[in-house]
Amino acid sequence: MDSPYSHELKVAFAAIQRAAEISRSVFAQVDLGVLKKDDLSPVTIADFAIQALLTATFHAAFPNDKFVGEESAAELRENPVLLERVWSHLQQAAGGGGGGDADADGLCRIPESPEQACQMIDWCGSGVPGGVGTGRVWVFDPIDGTQNFVRGELYAINVALLEDGKQVLSAVGCPNLSPDVTGPVMDNSLDPEGRGSIVFAVRGYGTHVRQLTGSLDEVSVRAIPRHAEEAPTLRSVTCLNTLASGLEDVHIAAAELLQMPFPGCNLLPWVIRYVVMGLGLANTTFWVYNTRTRLAKAWDHAGAMLLFEEVGGKITDVDGRDIDLTAGRKMAANYGFVAAPKNLHGLVLRTLQDVIRQDGRIELIGSGA
């Protein structure tokens, strides 16, 4: 795919390949170094090491760009043993993964020391997406779906580029999802051949998929048709019976009114849900948080949403507002999500809002919705 972001994609592919090697190396260990953050979400050695690798690599390639990422280095600074384990995986990555990916060997970087690793992780941990006039900001989710990762199920490495707060590039590494996957996709739908995939998009140039390993000139790239512009039916992807943050009864009732088989694809990681919609294995997802004070995190959505938008899909919040990535690390300008084919998005949005009202939860409907 020729685009103005060809070099950025080349760096992203290389970084994702090396990040996937780190994740596999960590998973091979008995102790994954799982910690619980303040919001009770898990984080592993792989999260820290991959965020350091991504930041070092993109900073070397694009020294004027800024960064946002999920993790901060506070735990590492307080736990020298954990920091040493992270540093060990980074040093192993610096030696090459043995996968024969020359691009990864030539483009990837690691921090120069454990202290610089902490510093680079904190660049991301304190970064904000920004808005008009803020320039280029890379957004990383080093492991989206950490709970899945520790179980050996589907997870993603999310890399996004924003310019003045707008998504322009998405590259999502799926180390155990086949590039030829067929639906329905579940958390345990693992690639039987172990190839993995990268699903990527550049604004205005469509969504594409390739296998994870191999240099650009060695692997085939498949363009995904714009299936979500004029879709005849709704096909669901959601997360059922796993997360407590959403109103499952509302989701189920809305799907029934829409005559949409539910759950369809059932996946924990948000990024993988966007991947599945980008690939055409689903075309609809919605999420009503159980309170309006619950805020989504930018790294779970930035870039990955572009995969669906570039095949014709439309994404708003539950109030019908456009998604605003400039509001901060937590997406304070939006409540929930509604993603659907462009021609059916209005129907899905109205149905969901009607169910919320009929359920007596009028406080969840924003003014003007």
Side-chain angles (χ1 to χ4, degrees), residues 31-92:
D31 176 12
L32 304 183
V34 181
L35 306 172
K36 289 286 186 180
K37 294 184 285 190
D38 289 342
D39 63 0
L40 301 183
S41 60
V43 58
T44 69
I45 289 170
D47 291 90
F48 292 120
I50 290 172
Q51 188 162 301
L53 169 84
L54 294 175
T55 309
T57 297
F58 283 92
H59 179 63
F62 310 106
N64 295 320
D65 292 357
K66 298 180 283 293
F67 304 97
V68 173
E70 181 170 11
E71 312 305 340
S72 76
E75 292 279 359
L76 297 181
R77 296 182 191 279
E78 296 173 3
N79 189 333
V81 174
L82 185 65
L83 176 57
E84 177 55 35
R85 292 182 64 188
V86 169
W87 181 242
S88 175
H89 282 284
L90 285 168
Q91 288 181 303
Q92 181 180 338

Side-chain angles (χ1 to χ4, degrees), residues 32 54 94 101 146 169 207 224 236 244 246 263 267 281 286 296 332 338 353:
L32 304 183
L54 294 175
D101 294 326
T146 302
L169 179 149
T207 296
I224 308 300
S236 170
L267 294 161
L281 303 174
F286 38 74
V338 179
Q353 291 175 347

Side-chain angles (χ1 to χ4, degrees), residues 178-250:
S178 169
D180 304 313
V181 64
T182 57
V185 183
M186 306 298 177
D187 285 319
N188 61 356
S189 297
L190 304 182
D191 183 355
E193 299 180 27
R195 291 173 297 166
S197 57
I198 300 176
V199 186
F200 61 98
V202 170
R203 181 165 295 282
Y205 289 83
T207 296
H208 299 73
V209 61
R210 52 160 289 178
Q211 73 176 44
L212 175 65
T213 57
S215 300
L216 266 177
D217 56 356
E218 298 174 343
V219 299
S220 61
V221 174
R222 176 165 57 94
I224 308 300
R226 289 182 64 85
H227 61 86
E229 206 151 33
E230 293 289 336
T233 58
L234 298 171
R235 292 173 292 126
S236 170
V237 56
T238 190
C239 179
L240 188 64
N241 300 325
T242 303
L243 292 176
S245 65
L247 295 177
E248 283 194 352
D249 55 339
V250 170

Side-chain angles (χ1 to χ4, degrees), residues 19-20 54-55 95 139 141 145 151 155 201 204 226 228 231 268 293 307-308 328-329 349 358 369:
L54 294 175
T55 309
V139 181
D141 191 344
R151 293 193 295 254
Y155 65 98
R226 289 182 64 85
L268 173 64
T293 59
L307 301 176
F308 186 52
R329 293 173 60 80
L349 179 64
Q358 292 165 10

